[in-house]
Amino acid sequence: SLLVAACVGRKFPPGFKFGAATASYQVEGAWNVSDKSPSIWDTFTHDNPDLIADKSNGDVACDSYRLWETDIGLAKDLGLDFYRFSISWPRLLPNGHSNYVSEDGKRYYNNLINGLIENGIEPVVTLYHWDLPQKLQEFGGWTNPDLASSFEEYADVAFGLFGDRVKTWLTFNEPVSFCEISYEAGKTAPGVALPGIGNYICAKVVMLAHARAYRLYDTKFRAKYRGKVGLTNQHLWFEPKNSGEEENAELMRNLMALYSYPIYSKTGGWPPSVEKRIAEISAKQGYSRSRLPEFTPEEIEFIKGTYDFYGLNYYTSRLVETAKPGEKLTWFPLSGSSEFGLALTADPSWKAGLAWLVSYPPGFRRLLLWLKQQFGDIEFKIMENGYATSEPVMYDEERVNYYRDHLEQVLLAINEDKVFVTAYTAWSLIDNYEWTSGYTSRFGLVNVDFNDPNRKRTPRASAHYYAAVIKSHSLDLSQSRGY
Ligand code: GBH
C-alpha cells in the first residue's frame, strides 16, 4: 500500500493545468512600430543603458511581435494547456487613455489569441506587466491616485475586445516588484527613488486599480463572458536564521503579503503587524502620519474579496535575522527588510542559478500552506516558477532539477497539506529580456539566439522534460533529490 500511495502521489489531480509565461516588453520588440507609443521601459533603457547589465534594451527582444506564430508552435510542441502573455498598454492605447484604440494593437493581440485557441491552447492574459505608457508616467505613474481610473479604462477596453475568448485575466504582475524596485530603490523603470514613501503610495494605488478592474468585470462582463479575474503576487518564503527569530520571519512574510492582505484577508486592509510597525517607525521619525497610507473604511470594503483565485509567483527563499548595527542591507526583494532592520541571506546549501535566485524547494510548499492558513481554502494558480543560468546551456540539467524539485513540492502541498492548487506556469517559454539583467539571464525552456536576426528558437532539455510531465500528467521522482 505504501507503493500505491507513492504512485498516487506522483499524479497531478485531474483538471490540473500546465502553462508557460512571457511578458510583452520582455519578448515583443517592435517598440515603435505603427502607432505604438513608448512605455516607461523604452524610455528607461534608452536613457540609462549603463543601468542594464549588457547595456541592451527590448527594442527587438525575441521579436515575438513578428514571430508570434513560432511561439504558438513552441507552446503546442510542449503540450501546454495555457500560455500566459501580457498586453502592452501603449501598444493597445497609445495615448494611455481609451479615447484612441490602436488598430495595429488590436490586430496583434487578436491574432495571438485566435492562434492559441485554434491550437487548443488557452490564453491567460496579464494586463500590466510593468510597461506603463510613458505619457502616464508624466503624471506621476503609480504614485498618482488617478492612475487607478486610467487602469480601469484600459481594462474596460481589453475586457471588451478580448473577453469573449480570454477567460483568465490577471490585472497585475507582482506589484511588489514594480512598487519596491522602481519606486523605492529607483533601480528599474521609471527609475524614481522615493524610499519608504513612493513604494507605499504605489501599493495603495495599485490595490485600488486592481479592485476597480475586478468590479468593472463583475458589473459589465461577468454575466456574458464568465471568466475569472485575479492578480499575481510574488512571494519569497522566509525562515528565521536563528532560533528565537520566528517573529521576524513572520513579519517579513506579512510584509510580502502587503499586496494580498487587502484583497484576500477576511478583514481587508493592510496586514496588521506591518501596518502597526510602519506607523510606529514613521512616528519615531517625526512624520505626522504613517508613510504607509491608510485606507478609508469604504476603500477597505471596495478592495476586499476582489478575486476569483490567488495568483502566485515563487522563485526563492531567504533566511531572516536582526541586522547588526550599521550592516548594509540588500534591497531585494523589498524595502521593509531595511525598514525593520532585518538582514536577508540564503543558506549556503541552497543551489544558486543567479545571485538572487537560490533554489530552496521546501520553501514553496511551506509558502503555499502559509497562504492557505492566512487566506483560507481558496483556489491557487501558480503563475510563475522557474530557474535561470547566466550562460545559454542547452543540456540544462540544473533547470530540469529545479522544475522537478519544485513540482514535487506542489504535489506535496496538494496531497499532504490539501492546498487547492489548479495550475502551474513555467517562467519562461523562451529566453527573453530580463529587465536590468538584459539578455544575460536565461530563463527559457527554449533557447533564443539573440545574435541571429531571426531570433532562432531551440528547445532545451528542460523543454523536453516539461513536455513529458505535461503528457503523463505526473512526476517521475526516480531522480528526485529528496527534499
Ligand atoms: C518575475 O520577477 C517577473 O514577473 C518576470 O518578468 C521576470 O522575468 C521573472 O520573475 C524572473 O526575474 O539581480 O538582485 O537586481 C521576479 C522579480 C525582478 C527578481 C528583478 C530579480 C533582479 C534582482 N525579479 N530582480 S537583482
Side-chain angles (χ1 to χ4, degrees):
S1 76
L2 249 180
L3 201 67
V4 172
C7 292
V8 168
R10 290 169 189 181
K11 207 71 189 145
F12 286 90
F16 189 92
K17 288 182 179 169
F18 293 94
T22 60
S24 46
Y25 186 71
Q26 295 180 273
V27 300
E28 285 178 3
W31 76 281
N32 63 352
V33 298
S34 183
D35 48 1
K36 179 182 173 294
S37 69
S39 77
I40 55 174
W41 273 93
D42 293 314
T43 306
F44 184 76
T45 56
H46 293 162
D47 292 354
N48 307 285
D50 289 346
L51 298 182
I52 313 297
D54 54 6
K55 303 193 192 312
S56 66
N57 56 51
D59 287 3
V60 181
C62 306
D63 205 11
S64 290
Y65 176 79
R66 261 169 281 278
L67 299 176
W68 57 273
E69 284 175 288
T70 311
D71 292 343
I72 293 174
L74 294 168
K76 187 166 188 182
D77 290 346
L78 280 166
L80 299 185
D81 297 307
F82 64 90
Y83 175 52
R84 177 185 163 212
F85 64 92
S86 78
I87 294 176
S88 160
W89 186 343
R91 192 182 298 289
L92 191 62
L93 302 181
N95 292 342
H97 293 285
S98 57
N99 61 323
Y100 174 73
V101 184
S102 164
E103 283 305 317
D104 189 65
K106 265 199 257 183
R107 182 193 50 79
Y108 177 66
Y109 294 111
N110 272 325
N111 283 343
L112 181 55
I113 290 164
N114 293 342
L116 287 166
I117 292 172
E118 279 158 23
N119 284 283
I121 304 161
E122 196 191 314
V124 170
V125 175
T126 315
L127 287 174
Y128 188 77
H129 203 124
W130 310 353
D131 44 357
L132 187 73
Q134 178 63 35
K135 290 182 190 186
L136 298 180
Q137 191 60 46
E138 314 297 320
F139 296 97
W142 293 109
T143 59
N144 176 359
D146 193 59
L147 205 61
S149 306
S150 309
F151 182 75
E152 183 183 5
E153 276 178 48
Y154 163 49
D156 194 3
V157 173
F159 293 154
L161 287 172
F162 311 122
D164 57 337
R165 288 152 292 152
V166 175
K167 301 299 170 191
T168 308
W169 292 95
L170 298 164
T171 54
F172 287 94
N173 179 68
E174 298 187 357
V176 67
S177 295
F178 65 90
C179 287
E180 301 284 338
I181 306 175
S182 305
Y183 288 97
E184 200 272 343
K187 295 205 178 203
T188 50
V192 177
L194 303 164
I197 297 181
N199 48 316
Y200 296 139
I201 299 176
C202 174
K204 180 172 175 180
V205 176
V206 169
M207 290 296 99
L208 287 165
H210 161 81
R212 275 178 175 270
Y214 182 90
R215 295 201 179 277
L216 174 78
Y217 191 86
D218 257 2
T219 51
K220 195 166 166 186
F221 299 101
R222 189 179 294 280
K224 60 179 175 200
Y225 293 151
R226 308 198 166 278
K228 287 188 176 187
V229 181
L231 80 169
T232 188
N233 276 308
Q234 187 198 181
H235 288 265
L236 276 74
W237 176 246
F238 296 101
E239 290 196 354
K241 182 158 182 193
N242 311 304
S243 60
E245 295 228 50
E246 169 59 24
E247 205 186 309
N248 288 333
E250 186 69 7
L251 188 64
M252 284 305 296
R253 293 171 201 145
N254 275 306
L255 180 62
M256 207 140 195
L258 193 70
Y259 309 83
S260 298
Y261 225 89
I263 298 169
Y264 299 96
S265 69
K266 303 254 171 335
T267 49
W270 303 121
S273 60
V274 173
E275 187 172 34
K276 186 164 165 274
R277 281 292 283 277
I278 298 173
E280 285 166 5
I281 299 167
S282 302
K284 257 194 221 139
Q285 292 167 332
Y287 290 92
S288 60
R289 60 189 172 106
S290 178
R291 286 179 281 100
L292 179 65
E294 268 183 32
F295 288 118
T296 64
E298 292 74 27
E299 287 171 337
I300 288 178
E301 286 309 311
F302 185 72
I303 299 168
K304 200 172 77 179
T306 53
Y307 68 90
D308 298 318
F309 58 86
Y310 195 108
L312 169 64
N313 297 1
Y314 172 83
Y315 287 90
T316 188
S317 293
R318 290 292 184 273
L319 299 172
V320 181
E321 69 182 319
T322 304
K324 294 165 195 72
E327 182 176 357
K328 195 176 176 296
L329 298 172
T330 54
W331 57 271
F332 176 77
L334 69 185
S335 57
S337 61
S338 48
E339 175 101 76
F340 299 153
L342 298 173
L344 306 177
T345 54
D347 190 280
S349 71
W350 299 350
K351 197 171 170 39
L354 306 171
W356 69 269
L357 209 179
V358 297
S359 170
Y360 182 57
F364 203 177
R365 176 182 173 185
R366 288 177 204 167
L367 171 63
L368 280 162
L369 179 59
W370 186 83
L371 290 171
K372 180 185 167 181
Q373 287 164 347
Q374 301 303 307
F375 303 128
D377 192 8
I378 59 180
E379 178 182 359
F380 290 90
K381 288 181 190 284
I382 293 152
M383 282 289 130
E384 283 182 29
N385 176 237
Y387 190 76
T389 55
S390 42
E391 295 299 323
V393 187
M394 289 308 297
Y395 184 71
D396 52 345
E397 211 181 343
E398 283 182 29
R399 182 175 288 103
V400 170
N401 289 338
Y402 181 98
Y403 277 122
R404 186 199 51 238
D405 294 344
H406 283 76
L407 281 164
E408 181 180 10
Q409 297 295 320
V410 174
L411 271 181
L412 288 165
I414 294 171
N415 293 327
E416 304 298 321
D417 304 334
K418 311 291 173 207
V419 184
F420 182 40
V421 187
T422 61
Y424 176 89
T425 313
W427 182 275
S428 173
L429 178 66
I430 50 180
D431 285 342
N432 56 55
Y433 187 74
E434 176 59 15
W435 311 112
T436 52
S437 302
Y439 299 101
T440 67
S441 291
R442 305 283 189 144
F443 272 95
L445 294 163
V446 174
N447 181 76
V448 176
D449 181 355
F450 292 103
N451 295 318
D452 178 349
N454 296 318
R455 296 295 189 272
K456 188 173 183 331
R457 284 118 157 97
T458 314
R460 296 194 165 111
S462 58
H464 299 290
Y465 173 78
Y466 193 44
V469 171
I470 297 172
K471 192 158 188 223
S472 65
H473 210 71
S474 68
L475 214 51
D476 175 356
L477 294 174
S478 55
Q479 307 287 312
S480 170
R481 291 181 292 189
Y483 279 96

PDB file of all heavy atoms in Angstrom, residues 247-274:
ATOM      1  N   GLU A 247       9.419  35.413  14.966  1.00  0.00           N
ATOM      2  CA  GLU A 247       8.551  36.591  14.854  1.00  0.00           C
ATOM      3  C   GLU A 247       9.005  37.518  13.714  1.00  0.00           C
ATOM      4  O   GLU A 247       8.185  38.093  13.002  1.00  0.00           O
ATOM      5  CB  GLU A 247       8.587  37.344  16.184  1.00  0.00           C
ATOM      6  CG  GLU A 247       7.351  38.175  16.443  1.00  0.00           C
ATOM      7  CD  GLU A 247       7.507  39.020  17.700  1.00  0.00           C
ATOM      8  OE1 GLU A 247       7.876  38.441  18.761  1.00  0.00           O
ATOM      9  OE2 GLU A 247       7.288  40.237  17.619  1.00  0.00           O
ATOM     10  N   ASN A 248      10.327  37.643  13.561  1.00  0.00           N
ATOM     11  CA  ASN A 248      10.859  38.474  12.474  1.00  0.00           C
ATOM     12  C   ASN A 248      10.588  37.850  11.104  1.00  0.00           C
ATOM     13  O   ASN A 248      10.286  38.554  10.145  1.00  0.00           O
ATOM     14  CB  ASN A 248      12.361  38.703  12.664  1.00  0.00           C
ATOM     15  CG  ASN A 248      12.635  39.660  13.812  1.00  0.00           C
ATOM     16  OD1 ASN A 248      11.798  40.511  14.122  1.00  0.00           O
ATOM     17  ND2 ASN A 248      13.778  39.517  14.451  1.00  0.00           N
ATOM     18  N   ALA A 249      10.712  36.515  11.028  1.00  0.00           N
ATOM     19  CA  ALA A 249      10.409  35.837   9.758  1.00  0.00           C
ATOM     20  C   ALA A 249       8.938  36.044   9.418  1.00  0.00           C
ATOM     21  O   ALA A 249       8.580  36.331   8.271  1.00  0.00           O
ATOM     22  CB  ALA A 249      10.747  34.360   9.859  1.00  0.00           C
ATOM     23  N   GLU A 250       8.082  35.936  10.436  1.00  0.00           N
ATOM     24  CA  GLU A 250       6.645  36.112  10.214  1.00  0.00           C
ATOM     25  C   GLU A 250       6.332  37.553   9.772  1.00  0.00           C
ATOM     26  O   GLU A 250       5.464  37.771   8.928  1.00  0.00           O
ATOM     27  CB  GLU A 250       5.882  35.736  11.502  1.00  0.00           C
ATOM     28  CG  GLU A 250       4.369  35.721  11.383  1.00  0.00           C
ATOM     29  CD  GLU A 250       3.789  34.594  10.505  1.00  0.00           C
ATOM     30  OE1 GLU A 250       4.550  33.689  10.058  1.00  0.00           O
ATOM     31  OE2 GLU A 250       2.572  34.638  10.264  1.00  0.00           O
ATOM     32  N   LEU A 251       7.065  38.497  10.334  1.00  0.00           N
ATOM     33  CA  LEU A 251       6.871  39.897   9.926  1.00  0.00           C
ATOM     34  C   LEU A 251       7.222  40.076   8.449  1.00  0.00           C
ATOM     35  O   LEU A 251       6.512  40.759   7.701  1.00  0.00           O
ATOM     36  CB  LEU A 251       7.728  40.820  10.804  1.00  0.00           C
ATOM     37  CG  LEU A 251       7.503  42.325  10.626  1.00  0.00           C
ATOM     38  CD1 LEU A 251       6.083  42.733  11.027  1.00  0.00           C
ATOM     39  CD2 LEU A 251       8.529  43.133  11.447  1.00  0.00           C
ATOM     40  N   MET A 252       8.295  39.445   8.011  1.00  0.00           N
ATOM     41  CA  MET A 252       8.681  39.524   6.596  1.00  0.00           C
ATOM     42  C   MET A 252       7.648  38.857   5.694  1.00  0.00           C
ATOM     43  O   MET A 252       7.342  39.349   4.616  1.00  0.00           O
ATOM     44  CB  MET A 252      10.067  38.896   6.377  1.00  0.00           C
ATOM     45  CG  MET A 252      11.226  39.753   6.844  1.00  0.00           C
ATOM     46  SD  MET A 252      11.257  41.412   6.121  1.00  0.00           S
ATOM     47  CE  MET A 252      11.494  41.035   4.383  1.00  0.00           C
ATOM     48  N   ARG A 253       7.113  37.715   6.136  1.00  0.00           N
ATOM     49  CA  ARG A 253       6.066  37.050   5.341  1.00  0.00           C
ATOM     50  C   ARG A 253       4.874  37.985   5.185  1.00  0.00           C
ATOM     51  O   ARG A 253       4.295  38.110   4.103  1.00  0.00           O
ATOM     52  CB  ARG A 253       5.612  35.761   6.035  1.00  0.00           C
ATOM     53  CG  ARG A 253       6.669  34.681   6.077  1.00  0.00           C
ATOM     54  CD  ARG A 253       6.236  33.515   6.981  1.00  0.00           C
ATOM     55  NE  ARG A 253       7.405  32.759   7.411  1.00  0.00           N
ATOM     56  CZ  ARG A 253       7.545  32.180   8.600  1.00  0.00           C
ATOM     57  NH1 ARG A 253       6.572  32.235   9.502  1.00  0.00           N
ATOM     58  NH2 ARG A 253       8.644  31.525   8.897  1.00  0.00           N
ATOM     59  N   ASN A 254       4.515  38.639   6.276  1.00  0.00           N
ATOM     60  CA  ASN A 254       3.374  39.562   6.227  1.00  0.00           C
ATOM     61  C   ASN A 254       3.678  40.798   5.390  1.00  0.00           C
ATOM     62  O   ASN A 254       2.798  41.320   4.714  1.00  0.00           O
ATOM     63  CB  ASN A 254       2.965  39.967   7.646  1.00  0.00           C
ATOM     64  CG  ASN A 254       2.027  38.949   8.255  1.00  0.00           C
ATOM     65  OD1 ASN A 254       0.997  38.618   7.684  1.00  0.00           O
ATOM     66  ND2 ASN A 254       2.399  38.413   9.408  1.00  0.00           N
ATOM     67  N   LEU A 255       4.928  41.253   5.467  1.00  0.00           N
ATOM     68  CA  LEU A 255       5.291  42.410   4.646  1.00  0.00           C
ATOM     69  C   LEU A 255       5.142  42.070   3.168  1.00  0.00           C
ATOM     70  O   LEU A 255       4.661  42.871   2.370  1.00  0.00           O
ATOM     71  CB  LEU A 255       6.729  42.849   4.950  1.00  0.00           C
ATOM     72  CG  LEU A 255       7.206  44.051   4.145  1.00  0.00           C
ATOM     73  CD1 LEU A 255       6.361  45.285   4.437  1.00  0.00           C
ATOM     74  CD2 LEU A 255       8.668  44.348   4.433  1.00  0.00           C
ATOM     75  N   MET A 256       5.538  40.858   2.812  1.00  0.00           N
ATOM     76  CA  MET A 256       5.432  40.471   1.407  1.00  0.00           C
ATOM     77  C   MET A 256       3.980  40.228   1.016  1.00  0.00           C
ATOM     78  O   MET A 256       3.644  40.205  -0.172  1.00  0.00           O
ATOM     79  CB  MET A 256       6.296  39.254   1.110  1.00  0.00           C
ATOM     80  CG  MET A 256       6.723  39.248  -0.341  1.00  0.00           C
ATOM     81  SD  MET A 256       8.402  38.736  -0.629  1.00  0.00           S
ATOM     82  CE  MET A 256       8.611  39.297  -2.326  1.00  0.00           C
ATOM     83  N   ALA A 257       3.113  40.072   2.021  1.00  0.00           N
ATOM     84  CA  ALA A 257       1.680  39.920   1.755  1.00  0.00           C
ATOM     85  C   ALA A 257       0.968  41.275   1.744  1.00  0.00           C
ATOM     86  O   ALA A 257      -0.260  41.343   1.734  1.00  0.00           O
ATOM     87  CB  ALA A 257       1.044  39.001   2.788  1.00  0.00           C
ATOM     88  N   LEU A 258       1.754  42.349   1.721  1.00  0.00           N
ATOM     89  CA  LEU A 258       1.178  43.700   1.691  1.00  0.00           C
ATOM     90  C   LEU A 258       0.198  43.840   0.522  1.00  0.00           C
ATOM     91  O   LEU A 258      -0.809  44.539   0.626  1.00  0.00           O
ATOM     92  CB  LEU A 258       2.319  44.712   1.533  1.00  0.00           C
ATOM     93  CG  LEU A 258       2.002  46.176   1.788  1.00  0.00           C
ATOM     94  CD1 LEU A 258       1.739  46.426   3.271  1.00  0.00           C
ATOM     95  CD2 LEU A 258       3.162  47.070   1.333  1.00  0.00           C
ATOM     96  N   TYR A 259       0.509  43.190  -0.570  1.00  0.00           N
ATOM     97  CA  TYR A 259      -0.271  43.319  -1.805  1.00  0.00           C
ATOM     98  C   TYR A 259      -1.337  42.220  -1.935  1.00  0.00           C
ATOM     99  O   TYR A 259      -1.943  42.059  -2.981  1.00  0.00           O
ATOM    100  CB  TYR A 259       0.684  43.292  -3.014  1.00  0.00           C
ATOM    101  CG  TYR A 259       1.825  44.280  -2.866  1.00  0.00           C
ATOM    102  CD1 TYR A 259       2.967  43.954  -2.134  1.00  0.00           C
ATOM    103  CD2 TYR A 259       1.730  45.549  -3.423  1.00  0.00           C
ATOM    104  CE1 TYR A 259       3.996  44.863  -1.971  1.00  0.00           C
ATOM    105  CE2 TYR A 259       2.762  46.465  -3.269  1.00  0.00           C
ATOM    106  CZ  TYR A 259       3.896  46.119  -2.539  1.00  0.00           C
ATOM    107  OH  TYR A 259       4.907  47.027  -2.376  1.00  0.00           O
ATOM    108  N   SER A 260      -1.498  41.426  -0.879  1.00  0.00           N
ATOM    109  CA  SER A 260      -2.506  40.365  -0.863  1.00  0.00           C
ATOM    110  C   SER A 260      -3.550  40.609   0.206  1.00  0.00           C
ATOM    111  O   SER A 260      -4.734  40.389   0.000  1.00  0.00           O
ATOM    112  CB  SER A 260      -1.852  39.005  -0.546  1.00  0.00           C
ATOM    113  OG  SER A 260      -0.927  38.674  -1.533  1.00  0.00           O
ATOM    114  N   TYR A 261      -3.055  41.032   1.353  1.00  0.00           N
ATOM    115  CA  TYR A 261      -3.924  41.180   2.515  1.00  0.00           C
ATOM    116  C   TYR A 261      -5.190  41.999   2.236  1.00  0.00           C
ATOM    117  O   TYR A 261      -6.294  41.581   2.609  1.00  0.00           O
ATOM    118  CB  TYR A 261      -3.112  41.802   3.666  1.00  0.00           C
ATOM    119  CG  TYR A 261      -3.346  41.095   4.970  1.00  0.00           C
ATOM    120  CD1 TYR A 261      -2.559  40.012   5.346  1.00  0.00           C
ATOM    121  CD2 TYR A 261      -4.385  41.489   5.807  1.00  0.00           C
ATOM    122  CE1 TYR A 261      -2.796  39.345   6.532  1.00  0.00           C
ATOM    123  CE2 TYR A 261      -4.621  40.830   6.995  1.00  0.00           C
ATOM    124  CZ  TYR A 261      -3.829  39.761   7.350  1.00  0.00           C
ATOM    125  OH  TYR A 261      -4.063  39.105   8.512  1.00  0.00           O
ATOM    126  N   PRO A 262      -5.048  43.158   1.535  1.00  0.00           N
ATOM    127  CA  PRO A 262      -6.259  43.967   1.296  1.00  0.00           C
ATOM    128  C   PRO A 262      -7.302  43.222   0.457  1.00  0.00           C
ATOM    129  O   PRO A 262      -8.497  43.471   0.597  1.00  0.00           O
ATOM    130  CB  PRO A 262      -5.720  45.176   0.521  1.00  0.00           C
ATOM    131  CG  PRO A 262      -4.262  45.256   0.881  1.00  0.00           C
ATOM    132  CD  PRO A 262      -3.831  43.821   1.045  1.00  0.00           C
ATOM    133  N   ILE A 263      -6.848  42.291  -0.375  1.00  0.00           N
ATOM    134  CA  ILE A 263      -7.753  41.589  -1.301  1.00  0.00           C
ATOM    135  C   ILE A 263      -8.270  40.281  -0.696  1.00  0.00           C
ATOM    136  O   ILE A 263      -9.455  39.969  -0.795  1.00  0.00           O
ATOM    137  CB  ILE A 263      -6.999  41.278  -2.622  1.00  0.00           C
ATOM    138  CG1 ILE A 263      -6.562  42.581  -3.302  1.00  0.00           C
ATOM    139  CG2 ILE A 263      -7.858  40.421  -3.559  1.00  0.00           C
ATOM    140  CD1 ILE A 263      -5.585  42.396  -4.453  1.00  0.00           C
ATOM    141  N   TYR A 264      -7.405  39.521  -0.059  1.00  0.00           N
ATOM    142  CA  TYR A 264      -7.749  38.136   0.308  1.00  0.00           C
ATOM    143  C   TYR A 264      -8.104  37.917   1.784  1.00  0.00           C
ATOM    144  O   TYR A 264      -8.677  36.887   2.114  1.00  0.00           O
ATOM    145  CB  TYR A 264      -6.585  37.195  -0.039  1.00  0.00           C
ATOM    146  CG  TYR A 264      -6.231  37.162  -1.504  1.00  0.00           C
ATOM    147  CD1 TYR A 264      -5.210  37.946  -2.014  1.00  0.00           C
ATOM    148  CD2 TYR A 264      -6.942  36.352  -2.390  1.00  0.00           C
ATOM    149  CE1 TYR A 264      -4.886  37.931  -3.371  1.00  0.00           C
ATOM    150  CE2 TYR A 264      -6.625  36.318  -3.734  1.00  0.00           C
ATOM    151  CZ  TYR A 264      -5.599  37.113  -4.220  1.00  0.00           C
ATOM    152  OH  TYR A 264      -5.283  37.090  -5.543  1.00  0.00           O
ATOM    153  N   SER A 265      -7.717  38.852   2.658  1.00  0.00           N
ATOM    154  CA  SER A 265      -7.976  38.586   4.085  1.00  0.00           C
ATOM    155  C   SER A 265      -9.448  38.818   4.422  1.00  0.00           C
ATOM    156  O   SER A 265     -10.151  39.544   3.721  1.00  0.00           O
ATOM    157  CB  SER A 265      -7.095  39.482   4.957  1.00  0.00           C
ATOM    158  OG  SER A 265      -7.505  40.833   4.836  1.00  0.00           O
ATOM    159  N   LYS A 266      -9.887  38.200   5.498  1.00  0.00           N
ATOM    160  CA  LYS A 266     -11.293  38.338   5.917  1.00  0.00           C
ATOM    161  C   LYS A 266     -11.593  39.760   6.368  1.00  0.00           C
ATOM    162  O   LYS A 266     -12.693  40.256   6.193  1.00  0.00           O
ATOM    163  CB  LYS A 266     -11.594  37.376   7.077  1.00  0.00           C
ATOM    164  CG  LYS A 266     -11.307  35.908   6.763  1.00  0.00           C
ATOM    165  CD  LYS A 266     -12.582  35.107   6.547  1.00  0.00           C
ATOM    166  CE  LYS A 266     -12.351  33.692   6.031  1.00  0.00           C
ATOM    167  NZ  LYS A 266     -11.129  33.405   5.285  1.00  0.00           N
ATOM    168  N   THR A 267     -10.572  40.418   6.970  1.00  0.00           N
ATOM    169  CA  THR A 267     -10.783  41.775   7.493  1.00  0.00           C
ATOM    170  C   THR A 267     -10.541  42.854   6.451  1.00  0.00           C
ATOM    171  O   THR A 267     -11.054  43.959   6.567  1.00  0.00           O
ATOM    172  CB  THR A 267      -9.808  42.039   8.661  1.00  0.00           C
ATOM    173  OG1 THR A 267      -8.494  41.660   8.214  1.00  0.00           O
ATOM    174  CG2 THR A 267     -10.180  41.247   9.892  1.00  0.00           C
ATOM    175  N   GLY A 268      -9.739  42.556   5.431  1.00  0.00           N
ATOM    176  CA  GLY A 268      -9.331  43.577   4.468  1.00  0.00           C
ATOM    177  C   GLY A 268      -8.266  44.486   5.073  1.00  0.00           C
ATOM    178  O   GLY A 268      -7.880  44.330   6.231  1.00  0.00           O
ATOM    179  N   GLY A 269      -7.799  45.423   4.286  1.00  0.00           N
ATOM    180  CA  GLY A 269      -6.784  46.367   4.762  1.00  0.00           C
ATOM    181  C   GLY A 269      -5.390  45.762   4.807  1.00  0.00           C
ATOM    182  O   GLY A 269      -5.185  44.605   4.445  1.00  0.00           O
ATOM    183  N   TRP A 270      -4.438  46.557   5.259  1.00  0.00           N
ATOM    184  CA  TRP A 270      -3.037  46.111   5.329  1.00  0.00           C
ATOM    185  C   TRP A 270      -2.855  45.030   6.379  1.00  0.00           C
ATOM    186  O   TRP A 270      -3.624  44.979   7.349  1.00  0.00           O
ATOM    187  CB  TRP A 270      -2.127  47.287   5.675  1.00  0.00           C
ATOM    188  CG  TRP A 270      -2.179  48.464   4.748  1.00  0.00           C
ATOM    189  CD1 TRP A 270      -2.500  49.754   5.069  1.00  0.00           C
ATOM    190  CD2 TRP A 270      -1.870  48.478   3.338  1.00  0.00           C
ATOM    191  NE1 TRP A 270      -2.423  50.560   3.963  1.00  0.00           N
ATOM    192  CE2 TRP A 270      -2.036  49.809   2.883  1.00  0.00           C
ATOM    193  CE3 TRP A 270      -1.474  47.508   2.410  1.00  0.00           C
ATOM    194  CZ2 TRP A 270      -1.826  50.192   1.556  1.00  0.00           C
ATOM    195  CZ3 TRP A 270      -1.268  47.888   1.087  1.00  0.00           C
ATOM    196  CH2 TRP A 270      -1.440  49.199   0.673  1.00  0.00           C
ATOM    197  N   PRO A 271      -1.836  44.197   6.255  1.00  0.00           N
ATOM    198  CA  PRO A 271      -1.537  43.222   7.314  1.00  0.00           C
ATOM    199  C   PRO A 271      -1.275  43.973   8.636  1.00  0.00           C
ATOM    200  O   PRO A 271      -0.400  44.838   8.673  1.00  0.00           O
ATOM    201  CB  PRO A 271      -0.289  42.489   6.816  1.00  0.00           C
ATOM    202  CG  PRO A 271       0.161  43.186   5.579  1.00  0.00           C
ATOM    203  CD  PRO A 271      -0.915  44.107   5.112  1.00  0.00           C
ATOM    204  N   PRO A 272      -2.031  43.665   9.694  1.00  0.00           N
ATOM    205  CA  PRO A 272      -1.972  44.474  10.919  1.00  0.00           C
ATOM    206  C   PRO A 272      -0.573  44.633  11.510  1.00  0.00           C
ATOM    207  O   PRO A 272      -0.196  45.730  11.919  1.00  0.00           O
ATOM    208  CB  PRO A 272      -2.897  43.714  11.882  1.00  0.00           C
ATOM    209  CG  PRO A 272      -3.801  42.922  11.007  1.00  0.00           C
ATOM    210  CD  PRO A 272      -3.044  42.603   9.763  1.00  0.00           C
ATOM    211  N   SER A 273       0.217  43.548  11.547  1.00  0.00           N
ATOM    212  CA  SER A 273       1.540  43.652  12.183  1.00  0.00           C
ATOM    213  C   SER A 273       2.426  44.639  11.414  1.00  0.00           C
ATOM    214  O   SER A 273       3.199  45.399  12.005  1.00  0.00           O
ATOM    215  CB  SER A 273       2.214  42.278  12.247  1.00  0.00           C
ATOM    216  OG  SER A 273       2.376  41.741  10.945  1.00  0.00           O
ATOM    217  N   VAL A 274       2.289  44.642  10.089  1.00  0.00           N
ATOM    218  CA  VAL A 274       3.108  45.517   9.246  1.00  0.00           C
ATOM    219  C   VAL A 274       2.630  46.961   9.370  1.00  0.00           C
ATOM    220  O   VAL A 274       3.424  47.897   9.528  1.00  0.00           O
ATOM    221  CB  VAL A 274       3.025  45.040   7.774  1.00  0.00           C
ATOM    222  CG1 VAL A 274       3.710  46.022   6.838  1.00  0.00           C
ATOM    223  CG2 VAL A 274       3.618  43.644   7.642  1.00  0.00           C
TER     224      VAL A 274
END
